[in-house]
């Protein structure tokens, strides 16, 4: 392996910020970008007035709704490291988008609102992190507000997120009485000056909790309280072990206020020091190291072009090994053909620019005319495929009806392309005559309707169906499967790979069937397909 490839890999940190909506993900992202010199102005990540390539929102509809529907990538440099933030939509209806993005990161920063504690969406996202053993750093935000007592918050984190935590900083008071944080590792005091937003933290070096400066800075009472808290923490949590963090067994915790740019630099400094650089990744045949000379990567996100007049799409490629080079042929494993990309681009700071060379951990935007799907692998010729971009069982189902018979073709094409982007899942019934769209939230239907109209000129109507779960069904007994499908025709449809799917009306009905028909296996994600492929490639 060349030294320069190794150096580039060591420099990279590719991560996602996850949170429940309103916890402060956007604010924190902005502040992180400020440190990297990515943007000059607070508010730039959200504002529609700024050049649209700096924002997390790609589509007009997103700006209208003020929800970050799409995942985008923001790259900046800090402390000699190249940091790629993969943005994740906060809205729960787009959770599946976030799950997919988590397959392309090496670590995660989880933002918690100190007032609200652990919220529902956070629990779900952490489940995915745990499943994939993604290392997590927690940032407890909004310490300038009267929040839950920090020790209670630690317990709540451990209980609800099912992970051990280890505070690396500790707050001194909160709300109006918030004085700052004490860095438990470096034994520094960071003083909070209310109202001085976007001014850097004032850092005071003290020799330890006995240092008289501590009292003079934060007052006798606060110093006493801090000393007690720190003794308690050191006793209860033990040493922080970086390897345990890397194995996703323990999550270090920081406190601060993103809005006041407080505690953000401290978080960032620890992040660049301990967060992993690009990790090895599993394919259907072997584990691939980032350091391998040969290029490989996978597509984790597809996005419609910003300009609706152009049908091409942007596919987001995560480079996993070797280097991705502009104009060089790459092998598209699923299609078994070579493709050349002449205008790949990166997302450096505020600009979107053509990139000649990308390294493991980098995300490259590829213009695509319809060759790429989510989960596709590109390599230097090796026929392996990256694993782990599952489709989850949708929860809301509507039947799609065409309102303009002259535009049937456009509707057909549109819905196929939109579902390939991962916006929703498409199922067909009655030999393709009926189309059922399944999603995890209801907002997608509005997005689909809007985009079919604006990008494809097709108008449609959605009619609610009374299903609440879709499970892929398999069986080792083909006759039993055929019988099941015939007997329950009304509840059966087929997915994009023509695999049968059972639609359940409710949880009870599904559980009943699972119990009563042991010959059929019900799958909540389509990950079983990967396993099937694994078995056939082995045997
Ligand atoms: P999200 O991306 O996770 O959804 O959250 P976002 O950053 O948009 O923050 C949600 C709200 O919380 C915003 O207020 C933001 O200003 C506020 N906020 C973020 N960090 C802090 C903090 O450290 N302290 C306090 N007190 N508030 C914080 P908003 O009124 O909803 O929006 P805006 O008009 O301020 O943008």
């Amino acid at each position: 392996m060349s030294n320069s490839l190794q150096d580039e890999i060591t420099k990279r940190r590719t991560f996602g910020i996850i949170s429940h909506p309103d916890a402060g993900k956007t604010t924190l992202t902005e502040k992180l970008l400020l440190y990297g010199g990515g943007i000059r102005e607070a508010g730039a990540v959200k504002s529609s007035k700024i050049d649209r390539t700096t924002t997390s929102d790609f589509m007009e509809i997103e700006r209208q709704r003020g929800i970050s529907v799409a995942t985008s990538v923001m790259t900046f440099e800090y402390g000699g490291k190249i940091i790629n933030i993969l943005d994740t939509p906060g809205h729960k209806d787009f959770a599946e988008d976030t799950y997919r993005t988590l397959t392309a990161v090496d670590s995660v920063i989880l933002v918690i609102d100190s007032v609200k504690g652990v919220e529902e969406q956070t629990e779900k996202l952490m489940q995915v992190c745990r499943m994939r053993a993604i290392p997590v750093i927690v940032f407890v935000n909004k310490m300038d507000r009267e929040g839950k007592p920090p020790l209670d918050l630690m317990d709540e984190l451990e209980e609800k997120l099912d992970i051990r935590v280890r505070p690396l900083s500790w707050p001194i008071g909160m709300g109006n009485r918030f004085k700052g944080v004490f860095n438990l590792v470096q034994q520094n005091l960071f003083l909070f000056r209310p109202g001085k937003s976007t001014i850097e933290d004032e850092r005071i070096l003290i020799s330890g909790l006995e240092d008289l400066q501590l009292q003079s800075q934060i007052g006798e009472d606060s110093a006493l309280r801090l000393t007690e808290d720190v003794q308690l923490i050191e006793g209860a949590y033990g040493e922080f072990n970086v390897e345990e963090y890397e194995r996703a067994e323990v999550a270090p915790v920081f406190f601060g206020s993103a809005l006041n740019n407080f505690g953000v630099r401290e978080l960032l400094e620890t992040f660049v020091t301990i967060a992993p650089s690009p990790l090895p990744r599993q394919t259907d045949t072997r584990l691939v190291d980032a350091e391998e000379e040969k290029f490989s990567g996978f597509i984790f996100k597809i996005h419609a072009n910003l300009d609706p007049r152009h049908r091409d799409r942007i596919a987001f490629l995560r480079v996993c090994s070797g280097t991705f080079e502009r104009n060089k042929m790459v092998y598209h494993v699923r299609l078994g053909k070579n493709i050349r990309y002449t205008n790949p681009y990166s997302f450096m700071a505020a600009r979107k620019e053509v990139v000649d060379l990308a390294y493991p951990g980098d995300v490259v935007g590829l213009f695509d005319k319809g060759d790429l799907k989510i989960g596709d692998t590109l390599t230097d010729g090796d026929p392996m495929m990256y694993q782990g971009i599952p489709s989850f069982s949708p929860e809301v189902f509507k039947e799609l009806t065409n309102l303009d018979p002259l535009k049937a073709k456009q509707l057909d094409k549109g819905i196929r392309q939109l579902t390939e982007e991962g916006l929703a899942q498409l199922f067909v019934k009655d030999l393709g005559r009926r189309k059922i769209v399944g999603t995890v939230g209801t907002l997608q239907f509005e997005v689909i309707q809007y985009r079919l109209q604006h990008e494809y000129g097709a108008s449609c109507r959605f009619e609610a169906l009374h299903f609440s779960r879709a499970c892929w069904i398999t069986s080792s007994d083909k006759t039993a499967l055929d019988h099941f499908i015939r007997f329950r025709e009304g509840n059966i449809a087929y997915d994009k790979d023509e695999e049968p799917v059972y639609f359940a009306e409710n949880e009870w009905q599904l559980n009943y069937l699972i119990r009563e028909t042991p010959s059929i296996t019900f799958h909540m994600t389509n990950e079983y397909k990967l396993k099937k492929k694994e078995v056939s490639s082995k045997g």
Side-chain angles (χ1 to χ4, degrees):
M1 183 204 4
S2 64
N3 271 343
S4 68
L5 177 60
Q6 175 69 67
D7 291 347
E8 294 295 336
I9 293 169
T10 316
K11 262 197 228 170
R12 277 170 170 79
R13 301 285 182 274
T14 300
F15 78 108
I17 305 183
I18 57 175
S19 72
H20 191 88
D22 276 345
K25 181 169 69 72
T26 312
T27 314
L28 180 65
T29 307
E30 273 173 19
K31 297 295 148 75
L32 290 173
L33 290 176
L34 277 175
Y35 283 107
I39 48 173
R40 290 154 300 279
E41 215 180 303
V45 175
K46 251 186 188 169
S47 167
S48 57
K49 285 193 247 52
I50 310 293
D51 176 1
R52 28 159 73 174
T53 55
T54 63
T55 70
S56 330
D57 303 326
F58 265 123
M59 302 184 317
E60 173 135 352
I61 192 161
E62 296 163 12
R63 282 198 297 276
Q64 283 175 359
R65 293 174 194 282
I67 299 166
S68 175
V69 177
T71 295
S72 70
V73 185
M74 288 158 276
T75 300
F76 67 96
E77 279 190 65
Y78 183 81
K81 301 286 188 291
I82 293 178
I83 299 165
N84 298 310
I85 308 183
L86 273 52
D87 190 21
T88 52
H91 197 284
K92 74 170 178 21
D93 284 5
F94 295 92
E96 209 175 327
D97 223 17
T98 303
Y99 301 153
R100 276 193 295 263
T101 299
L102 291 179
T103 64
V105 303
D106 297 304
S107 70
V108 148
I109 290 182
L110 169 64
V111 184
I112 301 281
D113 182 330
S114 72
V115 183
K116 297 196 176 133
V118 177
E119 294 169 271
E120 185 202 341
Q121 189 66 6
T122 316
E123 283 183 60
K124 286 206 182 136
L125 293 170
M126 264 305 289
Q127 265 172 19
V128 180
C129 293
R130 274 202 316 274
M131 257 162 59
R132 304 190 176 273
I134 303 172
V136 175
I137 299 181
V138 179
F139 183 71
V140 179
N141 191 29
K142 305 196 186 180
M143 289 307 295
D144 57 319
R145 296 181 55 191
E146 209 56 52
K148 297 188 179 182
L151 279 169
D152 290 1
L153 264 178
M154 294 303 99
D155 288 347
E156 192 177 325
L157 283 168
E158 292 206 328
E159 201 178 297
K160 290 200 177 156
L161 302 182
D162 198 14
I163 184 167
R164 270 194 302 130
V165 297
R166 177 39 163 117
L168 293 189
S169 76
W170 197 251
I172 303 160
M174 64 171 78
N176 291 337
R177 296 165 291 107
F178 183 52
K179 298 206 164 116
V181 293
F182 180 71
N183 187 309
L184 295 162
V185 180
Q186 297 167 351
Q187 304 268 306
N188 300 343
L189 200 58
F190 287 79
L191 292 182
F192 180 62
R193 301 276 184 238
K196 280 199 177 179
S197 66
T198 74
I199 301 289
E200 282 194 20
D201 324 325
E202 198 173 318
R203 195 181 309 206
I204 295 182
L205 276 177
I206 55 167
S207 57
L209 290 166
E210 297 79 30
D211 194 327
L212 291 176
Q213 262 213 82
L214 184 65
Q215 277 195 20
S216 63
Q217 291 291 342
I218 61 174
E220 202 176 327
D221 285 355
S222 296
L224 196 66
R225 178 78 198 264
L226 177 68
T227 310
E228 278 172 15
D229 281 355
V230 172
Q231 278 164 355
L232 197 74
I233 293 158
E234 300 296 358
Y237 293 97
E239 284 286 302
F240 170 62
N241 180 332
V242 177
E243 280 153 26
E244 284 181 347
Y245 156 74
E246 285 167 355
R247 291 198 299 268
E249 291 166 8
V250 70
V253 182
F254 288 90
F255 293 83
S257 165
L259 188 63
N260 292 288
N261 199 7
F262 186 78
V264 177
R265 181 188 281 275
E266 196 188 20
L267 171 75
L268 183 57
E269 278 174 1
T270 306
F271 170 78
V272 293
T273 316
I274 68 170
S277 47
L279 299 168
R281 271 157 203 275
Q282 187 66 44
T283 67
D284 56 350
T285 54
R286 65 192 179 87
L287 195 67
V288 177
D289 273 327
E291 287 84 5
E292 291 183 20
E293 294 280 348
K294 287 196 156 195
F295 158 75
S296 67
F298 65 90
I299 306 294
F300 65 94
K301 169 89 193 158
I302 305 251
H303 209 289
N305 198 323
L306 294 176
D307 184 346
R309 285 169 304 177
H310 293 124
R311 266 305 140 68
D312 53 355
R313 302 178 292 180
I314 300 160
F316 291 78
L317 167 80
R318 146 100 198 199
V319 181
C320 297
S321 69
T323 51
F324 175 83
E325 291 170 43
R326 180 183 175 196
N327 281 327
K328 197 176 157 192
M329 283 287 185
V330 290
Y331 182 60
H332 186 313
V333 180
R334 182 177 51 85
L335 298 181
K337 69 173 186 181
N338 288 313
I339 302 185
R340 189 198 312 271
Y341 291 97
T342 48
N343 281 316
Y345 61 80
S346 72
F347 306 84
M348 197 69 186
R351 304 174 304 276
K352 189 175 79 183
E353 52 189 33
V354 171
V355 62
D356 291 319
L357 202 57
Y359 295 95
D362 285 345
V363 173
V364 177
L366 303 175
F367 285 107
D368 170 50
K369 296 254 182 270
D371 290 324
L372 295 170
K373 284 187 185 173
I374 288 170
D376 274 348
T377 300
L378 301 178
T379 70
D380 249 356
D382 198 329
M384 66 195 180
M385 278 182 156
Y386 280 99
Q387 297 192 311
I389 304 216
S391 290
F392 290 81
S393 166
E395 288 165 26
V396 188
F397 300 86
K398 293 191 181 184
E399 183 158 356
L400 176 73
T401 313
N402 183 15
L403 291 181
D404 182 353
L406 296 175
K407 293 283 170 67
K409 264 201 177 138
Q410 282 87 335
L411 185 86
D412 215 57
K413 186 172 175 190
I415 192 65
R416 272 178 209 286
Q417 292 197 341
L418 294 183
T419 47
E420 271 168 27
E421 278 177 32
L423 201 54
Q425 291 177 56
L426 180 64
F427 305 95
V428 294
K429 264 180 96 59
D430 300 346
L431 301 170
R433 279 190 292 272
R434 291 175 63 196
K435 293 186 178 58
I436 296 173
V437 175
T439 65
V440 288
T442 51
L443 203 51
Q444 278 98 330
F445 293 104
E446 288 171 52
V447 176
I448 292 170
Q449 208 161 13
Y450 176 94
R451 289 188 53 189
L452 282 174
Q453 184 80 57
H454 285 80
E455 292 169 33
Y456 299 87
S459 45
C460 71
R461 187 175 64 217
F462 278 112
E463 272 160 70
L465 297 173
H466 55 285
F467 302 119
S468 68
R469 266 278 185 274
C471 294
W472 286 266
I473 46 173
T474 57
S475 176
S476 51
D477 179 348
K478 189 171 177 323
T479 319
L481 185 64
D482 288 347
H483 179 77
F484 183 89
I485 290 174
R486 217 171 325 118
F487 196 61
R488 296 189 168 74
E489 219 184 344
N491 292 64
I492 302 287
Y494 294 85
D495 76 357
K496 60 179 183 339
D497 302 319
E498 291 170 33
E499 300 278 352
V501 176
Y502 179 81
F503 288 167
E505 269 122 59
N506 52 50
E507 204 74 31
W508 181 88
Q509 187 208 22
L510 183 62
N511 288 336
Y512 175 81
L513 269 182
I514 293 173
R515 233 180 14 251
E516 295 300 311
T517 42
S519 57
I520 307 290
T521 313
F522 296 79
H523 307 268
M524 299 306 279
T525 75
N526 68 352
E527 242 170 354
Y528 76 92
K529 291 186 188 177
L530 295 167
K531 298 210 174 81
K532 212 162 66 176
K533 225 169 16 193
E534 216 175 309
V535 171
S536 64
S537 69
K538 275 185 192 141

